[in-house]
Amino acid sequence: MPTRIASGRRWEKIVIVLGIETSCDETAAAVVDDDRRIRANIVLSQVAAHRPYGGVVPEIAARAHVEQIDGLIRQAMTAAQLEFSDLDGVAATAGPGLIGGVMVGLVTGKAIAAALGKPLLAINHLEGHALTARLTDNLAFPYLLLLISGGHCQLVLIEGLGRYRRLGTTIDDAVGEAFDKTAKLLGLHYPGGPAVQAAAQGGDPGAVKLPRPMAGRPGCDFSFSGLKTAVRRLLANEPGLRAEDVAAGFQQAVGDVMVDRAGNAITMAQAYYPGLAHLVIAGGVAANLHLRQRLAVLCQERGLQLTAPPTGLCTDNGAMIAWAGVERLRAGLHDPLDAPARARWPLDPDAKPAPFAGKKA
Ligand code: KG4
Ligand code: ZN
């Protein structure tokens, strides 16, 4: 049984949790302990299966999760060199996400928890992203989180475990969607974010004129549908434009918007916590080097430290779900075996719906 020295005298058992993630197009399983050690972290991307369709197809995703999840969990346990009986809890994403996929992972987690007689942790996927910086950088509460992915674009004040105050969100598309749609318009392959970033490297952002939606407005909500439409119009009106220049111009526009919105969020967060010292970025779009650079400059100007987990832990993974499980277990929390799978599940239930928002969690 894994143990550690908790103090000079006493031996104490390490808390070890299995994490399962199936809410979108990654099937993932990981084993993490409360010493912040990632003992296994296996992510199987379904990108190739969805690429012909230019986006995630929910039915294909759910079927692929069903086919892969058992073997992946077995692989994770083998890589961690542990028996199932060594686990102290089983964490699975219970939402928000594509409901078919969420159900696959949650039911699997429930079955393992029930068979072992160990606690189930039904994790909010966004909480997994929100707490990752505590796993990777041992960050103390509170901190400001910029969550930027294919499904989300939010600024959230992380005040403590289970205490999340949403300061701003997108009123239409997520920023990752904007990257993916822009890539499609430019004839680049799916997923679009890395392709746009690569194309932008050889481009001149000054060669195209694009809007900066919401920049200069009070608050820190986002809007990206107008930017995507502007790219479409630009390409229709000026067919001779170089894809590299459009990609660079688009990335620059997103960077300007991010810096403006995050700047306002820092002011709002510091009104609650004057000593606030960290901005954390998470989600797949946090892998973007241009955005990282721009946000690093913003943080430097505002006296904050930018914390960016390694890209493999910014995109969807099982380690963040296992870690959220560790945190909840340590706080004495766990969930009943009939915990529901939820397509929508806001991190901050008190947050007012974003104006005009129709589809986001
Ligand atoms: O967090 P994630 O893996 O999945 C969810 O959406 O939950 O994020 C995927 C998104 C996609 O839209 C993808 O295009 C975007 O992250 N992305 C990037 C980059 N790498 C991934 N966007 C911009 N630049 C990148 N380097
Ligand atoms: Zn995610």
Side-chain angles (χ1 to χ4, degrees):
M1 178 178 292
T3 52
R4 63 153 171 245
I5 298 173
S7 70
R9 287 172 288 124
R10 200 163 60 86
W11 286 82
E12 181 189 279
K13 190 181 175 309
I14 293 174
V15 173
I16 305 174
V17 173
L18 168 68
I20 301 169
E21 160 59 38
T22 56
S23 68
C24 193
D25 61 341
E26 268 96 22
T27 315
V31 180
V32 173
D33 68 35
D34 67 337
D35 264 346
R36 301 171 38 245
R37 228 178 102 196
I38 300 174
R39 293 168 177 245
N41 185 25
I42 303 179
V43 180
L44 204 71
S45 170
Q46 301 174 3
V47 159
H50 298 287
R51 184 168 286 148
Y53 307 94
V56 179
V57 183
E59 291 76 15
I60 293 178
R63 182 176 290 265
H65 290 309
V66 170
E67 285 167 1
Q68 300 294 344
I69 192 67
D70 292 7
L72 212 70
I73 291 171
R74 210 171 303 120
Q75 267 184 53
M77 294 302 295
T78 305
Q81 298 182 300
L82 292 171
E83 304 294 329
F84 279 101
S85 56
D86 292 323
L87 296 173
D88 297 286
V90 181
T93 298
L98 300 173
I99 194 69
V102 172
M103 284 166 68
V104 171
L106 183 58
V107 166
T108 307
K110 285 177 178 178
I112 297 171
L116 295 174
K118 298 282 169 76
L120 168 77
L121 296 309
I123 302 296
N124 183 319
H125 177 89
L126 305 177
E127 185 173 48
H129 281 302
L131 299 177
T132 300
R134 289 168 56 75
L135 166 65
T136 57
D137 293 80
N138 203 11
L139 221 60
F141 297 122
Y143 51 87
L144 180 62
L145 172 74
L146 173 61
L147 177 57
I148 40 178
S149 72
H152 303 278
C153 187
Q154 307 187 358
L155 279 152
V156 189
L157 186 51
I158 310 299
E159 301 182 286
L161 183 65
R163 291 175 49 218
Y164 310 116
R165 190 188 295 268
R166 196 181 76 193
L167 303 178
T169 186
T170 178
I171 62 171
D172 42 51
D173 294 346
V175 60
E177 275 178 277
F179 267 97
D180 292 337
K181 286 174 182 168
T182 296
K184 216 171 178 175
L185 290 167
L186 292 174
L188 304 170
H189 58 76
Y190 174 85
V196 169
Q197 175 175 297
Q201 267 184 338
D204 170 14
V208 296
K209 247 187 129 166
L210 287 168
R212 270 65 175 157
M214 305 297 270
R217 293 226 212 152
C220 58
D221 283 335
F222 296 89
S223 167
F224 289 104
S225 71
L227 184 55
K228 175 194 70 195
T229 309
V231 171
R232 180 181 296 126
R233 264 203 218 111
L234 192 68
L235 292 170
N237 295 341
E238 298 179 50
L241 280 176
R242 294 192 331 140
E244 291 88 337
D245 292 344
V246 178
F250 167 82
Q251 209 173 239
Q252 184 86 22
V254 174
D256 287 349
V257 168
M258 285 292 158
V259 166
D260 178 89
R261 306 284 81 194
N264 280 6
I266 291 170
T267 306
M268 291 160 79
Q270 286 181 334
Y272 291 106
Y273 299 99
L276 189 98
H278 293 271
L279 171 66
V280 174
I281 51 172
V285 183
N288 186 277
L289 296 174
H290 175 76
L291 297 181
R292 281 185 180 224
Q293 262 167 17
R294 302 288 306 275
L295 291 164
V297 171
L298 171 72
C299 284
Q300 209 171 19
E301 285 168 4
R302 300 293 298 267
L304 264 70
Q305 199 177 318
L306 180 69
T307 303
T311 51
L313 294 173
C314 278
T315 49
D316 291 350
N317 65 87
M320 70 180 193
I321 302 305
W323 174 253
V326 166
E327 293 242 33
R328 291 177 68 78
L329 205 54
R330 274 196 317 202
L333 302 168
H334 62 90
D335 296 283
L337 284 175
D338 62 355
R342 302 161 73 165
R344 291 177 188 208
W345 187 0
L347 200 50
D348 175 359
D350 297 331
K352 283 198 224 94
F356 318 119
K359 54 182 178 162
K360 297 289 174 286

